[in-house]
Amino acid sequence: MPAPLNRVDTTPELPSTADVVVIGGGIVGVFAAYYLTRRGLKVALVEKGLIGAEQSSRNWGWCRQQNRDARELPMSTKSLDLWERFATETGEDTGFRRCGLFYLSNSDAELSGWARWRDFARSVGVTTHMLSSTEATERGHATGTSWKGGVFSPTDGTADPASAAPAVARAILKLGGTVHQSCAARGLEVEGGRLSGVVTEHGTIRTKIAILAGGAWASSFCHQLGIRFPQASIRSSILSVSAGAGGLPDALHTSAVSVTRRRDGGYTLAISGRGRVDPTPQQLRFAPQFLPMFARRWRSLAPGGLEGFRSGHESLARWRLDRPTPMERMRILDPAVNKATIALTHSRALELLPALKKTDISAAWAGYIDSTPDGVPGIGEIPTLPGFILAAGFSGHGFGIGPGAGHLIADIVTGDEPIVDPRPYHPDRFGTSAWGKVADF
């Protein structure tokens, strides 16, 4: 079974003009469209498949500050407040709650790293609690294991991946914006060196501003425009189990496996950092820029297969605007799960939390986590094409920081005071080496 996903209505008519067109209906795209619509702009959101159907519904649902890289932490903190405010502003339910995130470890090196992050977090006003062996073992009693220590971040939380992006899309519709599913953006039109329109499979929308929140498709879309955006995707496989296990933490991370309570009382199970590298022409093109990332993460990666070629999201081919594109042939990236990873994840979870033996596997799915060479997203206007704003490469963090990213994008478009400093995210940095700059996460 694929990842669960709620559905949202589609606006029947494609507008001929818009103040802003947002390309991509994942969590970043919908929040960007939401904040722009709230500011009175005429916004059209176009999505080649279904709202939230790719990585935005295939993640853990964590909304965290804990262990964030210093460049992303301000956006993480702002996002937690925005997750809460969204429900009050709209009456829509994303499933967000500050349940706290709980980490356990028997590794002295890991605990030392968490302690260093705690000290840094204190300097920027973020609360996190290091737990002694006694405290960690007591709080983690469901494991039946003694632990050297742990971390509890009380103000962090989770939202529901199946509900979040659709909830934001409904809020856009209430505000008068338009949402167009099964409507791929094939490319852009340019007049006088500036963006003048977005060409979709159902017609052209005249606009001076387009935001590309295309997730794993962003680099190949940029390639059509002669824009070099280094991006590589990792295939991650996770599963969910049914309700029936009581007394477990809402969100628990260990090096062996991580567990997150779902809205239906079941749990999502995953191994942090475990991924498969599916070779593609795009990955080969950008391989030199990803050497620093690979040197840092190679222990958690394994060779993949031909899923990347089958999916078509990392092709170097050029496509025409008057013919179907790879995005129309693959409406929703739904790569095959790695069965060995699913089996290992499930067995580790049962060993860690015996109460899960009362549950059954309810679904398993895979998704593509789109990464940049330094593991920090690219957000900002492309200087060579005024009016074109990139918002992609969220490196597995996009769900949690989606509200803050969307708000920042709206700030850039409208010229308002940015919610966070935009400079660490600007795509210009991809012109330099990532050695010594790979994110700590």
Side-chain angles (χ1 to χ4, degrees):
M1 292 179 61
L5 178 67
N6 296 343
R7 299 295 182 93
V8 63
D9 292 335
T10 290
T11 305
E13 296 291 331
L14 191 73
S16 59
T17 64
D19 295 325
V20 183
V21 175
V22 178
I23 302 168
I27 199 69
V28 174
V30 293
F31 267 116
Y34 168 71
Y35 287 115
L36 287 164
T37 307
R38 275 183 61 86
R39 299 181 195 191
L41 277 68
K42 181 182 179 183
V43 180
L45 172 64
V46 297
E47 162 57 46
K48 63 182 175 53
L50 298 173
I51 295 296
E54 293 188 338
Q55 200 56 27
S56 292
S57 60
R58 296 165 186 257
N59 59 85
W60 303 5
W62 283 32
C63 305
R64 64 178 172 90
Q65 298 167 104
Q66 179 67 39
N67 292 341
R68 285 286 190 202
D69 183 84
R71 290 162 289 185
E72 281 189 358
L73 183 58
M75 186 177 287
S76 302
T77 300
K78 295 290 186 181
S79 292
L80 287 166
D81 293 336
L82 294 174
W83 277 111
E84 285 186 321
R85 284 166 49 185
F86 175 79
T88 303
E89 292 169 351
T90 66
E92 294 288 347
D93 184 7
T94 63
F96 175 75
R97 57 199 181 97
R98 290 189 189 249
C99 58
L101 304 183
F102 181 31
Y103 294 62
L104 289 170
S105 181
N106 279 320
S107 164
D108 290 329
E110 192 169 39
L111 291 168
S112 295
W114 293 346
R116 288 193 299 272
W117 191 91
R118 183 269 317 273
D119 294 341
F120 154 70
R122 282 177 174 171
S123 71
V124 292
V126 174
T127 300
T128 186
H129 302 300
M130 291 297 299
L131 305 177
S132 67
S133 176
T134 300
E135 292 169 331
T137 300
E138 181 178 347
R139 186 179 281 273
H141 62 86
T143 67
T145 301
S146 296
W147 298 90
K148 285 189 176 181
V151 173
F152 183 65
S153 51
T155 58
D156 289 351
T158 63
D160 179 30
S163 304
V168 182
R170 287 194 297 271
I172 295 167
L173 293 170
K174 289 179 182 178
L175 291 170
T178 60
V179 175
H180 308 275
Q181 297 174 102
S182 296
C183 182
R186 293 176 172 175
L188 306 178
E189 290 187 346
V190 179
E191 293 180 4
R194 183 180 179 88
L195 187 146
S196 61
V198 174
V199 180
T200 80
E201 62 181 293
H202 298 308
T204 299
I205 306 173
R206 309 302 298 177
T207 185
K208 293 183 178 180
I209 301 174
I211 297 160
L212 178 62
W217 295 88
S219 185
S220 59
F221 190 97
C222 286
H223 182 60
Q224 311 307 307
L225 307 169
I227 296 169
R228 194 174 190 275
F229 172 42
Q231 184 182 41
S233 297
I234 302 299
R235 177 162 50 101
S236 176
S237 299
I238 65 178
L239 70 147
S240 63
V241 295
S242 60
L248 305 187
D250 289 320
L252 170 64
H253 166 79
T254 70
S255 61
V257 68
S258 297
V259 181
T260 312
R261 188 189 303 274
R262 301 179 66 85
R263 293 182 85 177
D264 62 4
Y267 289 84
T268 297
L269 314 178
I271 299 175
S272 179
R274 178 65 62 98
R276 295 278 169 170
V277 181
D278 296 329
T280 65
Q282 182 174 295
Q283 284 199 354
L284 295 175
R285 179 193 186 198
F286 294 129
Q289 286 189 255
F290 278 88
L291 285 176
M293 176 71 76
F294 182 75
R296 190 85 170 264
R297 314 280 180 220
W298 67 271
R299 291 179 181 83
S300 62
L301 300 175
L306 299 178
E307 284 297 299
F309 284 97
R310 182 182 72 84
S311 298
H313 63 296
E314 290 189 347
S315 168
L316 295 181
R318 298 275 186 167
W319 58 68
R320 291 177 50 169
L321 303 186
D322 60 348
R323 293 183 181 177
T325 67
M327 296 176 290
E328 291 148 80
R329 291 190 286 273
M330 180 62 69
R331 294 283 180 185
I332 297 171
L333 282 175
D334 188 25
V337 299
N338 183 269
K339 294 181 180 178
T341 298
I342 295 299
L344 179 63
T345 304
H346 192 226
S347 65
R348 285 185 178 184
L350 297 186
E351 182 178 358
L352 178 71
L353 298 166
L356 289 175
K357 294 177 181 178
K358 302 175 183 177
T359 69
D360 298 309
I361 295 177
S362 54
W365 60 86
Y368 279 113
I369 298 172
D370 57 303
S371 180
T372 62
D374 59 10
V376 176
I379 304 173
E381 187 173 29
I382 302 299
T384 57
L385 184 50
F388 181 54
I389 297 170
L390 178 68
F394 280 79
S395 307
H397 309 157
F399 186 80
I401 65 175
H407 199 295
L408 176 61
I409 294 160
D411 297 337
I412 292 170
V413 169
T414 60
D416 290 352
E417 180 70 22
I419 190 170
V420 295
D421 182 359
R423 287 174 295 181
Y425 308 106
H426 200 281
D428 277 359
R429 73 182 193 278
F430 298 131
T432 61
S433 171
W435 286 107
K437 302 173 186 176
V438 176
D440 293 318
F441 58 84

